[in-house]
Amino acid sequence: AQSVSQHNHHVILSEAASLELGCNYSYGGTVNLFWYVQYPGQHLQLLLKYFSGDPLVKGIKGFEAEFIKSKFSFNLRKPSVQWSDTAEYFCAVMNSGNTPLVFGKGTRLSVIA
Amino acid sequence: DVKVTQSSRYLVKRTGEKVFLECVQDMDHENMFWYRQDPGLGLRLIYFSYDVKMKEKGDIPEGYSVSREKKERFSLILESASTNQTSMYLCASSRTGGLQPQHFGDGTRLSIL
């Protein structure tokens, strides 16, 4: 069965610091990859996704993620975080067959002034 | 604006009660999902449905059932509520062609006493 690992449970950064959240998955075949974000008190929303093509994916609000197939990784990055990026971030993976998404356990990001 | 609406934001029930959580989407989506979200465990899929009257078990279906009598409505049923079902429950929907949720509801925080 697929599994998704997010290595950091809670990350605390100062404003303007750079962000990288790790995500690794276990499935060996073709995968589709996603990052979702949940801001405090709000519903989950899609941040970015990778299906094929350029492994560097740009998402909303200045986020990007890079798919590295050899490392089974899809890390999320942002060069300079803002206080408004405080949220919980979920990585998710789906194999190319018609099976549902598998979510990681989430990483809580706290950005302090 | 697209909408996934969950009938209750907060719900308190007693052990042994039969509990119904309702979800309605207005996007004519074929796929609907029920997840539970617990701290440190991320999102875990309970059930999903890809068409009216169709349902599939997710990763943690035990103690739950679902009903999809109409395309827009997907109900989650706790047959006999137990304290370990205290959780945040999220409904989501997506168009046909992919089992990744596109739109999430605001969630129902269910407490079983």
Side-chain angles (χ1 to χ4, degrees):
Chain A
Q2 298 177 80
S3 68
V4 181
S5 296
Q6 293 183 243
H7 312 296
N8 309 103
H9 293 303
H10 189 192
V11 172
I12 303 172
L13 293 174
S14 298
E15 279 194 308
S18 64
L19 169 71
E20 181 159 4
L21 301 182
C23 173
N24 288 89
Y25 61 92
S26 64
Y27 186 67
T30 303
V31 291
N32 300 322
L33 299 155
F34 306 81
W35 277 96
Y36 288 82
V37 61
Q38 187 174 32
Y39 297 102
Q42 295 187 27
H43 57 261
L44 262 92
Q45 53 187 288
L46 183 65
L47 201 53
L48 49 79
K49 60 186 177 184
Y50 172 81
F51 278 57
S52 64
D54 188 346
L56 185 62
V57 180
K58 304 278 186 193
I60 59 172
K61 304 188 180 187
F63 286 92
E64 65 179 31
E66 185 175 13
F67 170 49
I68 303 179
K69 190 175 181 180
S70 60
K71 294 185 177 181
F72 298 89
S73 70
F74 190 56
N75 291 355
L76 182 71
R77 301 195 292 246
K78 186 171 183 179
S80 176
V81 295
Q82 301 171 315
W83 178 81
S84 58
D85 294 323
T86 294
E88 188 152 20
Y89 293 82
F90 295 92
C91 181
V93 176
M94 184 173 71
N95 68 30
S96 58
N98 207 26
T99 56
L101 213 50
V102 175
F103 283 85
K105 294 181 178 180
T107 297
R108 187 155 63 99
L109 172 65
S110 299
V111 180
I112 55 178
Chain B
D1 196 15
V2 297
K3 209 104 168 96
V4 176
T5 303
Q6 294 183 231
S7 54
S8 304
R9 197 72 194 266
Y10 300 94
L11 206 54
V12 180
K13 296 291 182 180
R14 295 206 174 274
T15 305
E17 280 192 70
K18 191 169 186 176
V19 181
F20 294 84
L21 302 184
E22 306 287 347
C23 175
V24 176
Q25 49 97 0
D26 64 1
M27 296 158 283
D28 202 37
H29 281 172
E30 286 76 16
N31 303 321
M32 295 187 76
F33 309 82
W34 274 107
Y35 293 88
R36 63 178 282 177
Q37 182 179 10
D38 300 287
L41 296 179
L43 275 74
R44 293 178 292 166
L45 182 64
I46 305 171
Y47 270 96
F48 66 100
S49 167
Y50 53 88
D51 202 351
V52 175
K53 297 193 186 293
M54 306 303 289
K55 59 185 179 185
E56 293 284 344
K57 291 180 180 179
D59 298 318
I60 52 164
E62 298 78 19
Y64 303 94
S65 63
V66 289
S67 172
R68 184 122 182 249
E69 295 296 317
K70 294 185 177 181
K71 191 175 186 180
E72 67 271 17
R73 184 180 295 270
F74 192 35
S75 303
L76 179 70
I77 303 152
L78 285 66
E79 298 291 343
S80 177
S82 63
T83 53
N84 63 12
Q85 292 178 309
T86 291
S87 185
M88 171 70 87
Y89 289 87
L90 300 178
C91 177
S93 71
S94 69
R95 289 190 305 269
T96 194
L99 286 175
Q100 72 274 12
Q102 291 172 284
H103 300 282
F104 283 85
D106 288 334
T108 296
R109 187 166 293 283
L110 175 64
S111 297
I112 307 295
L113 305 179

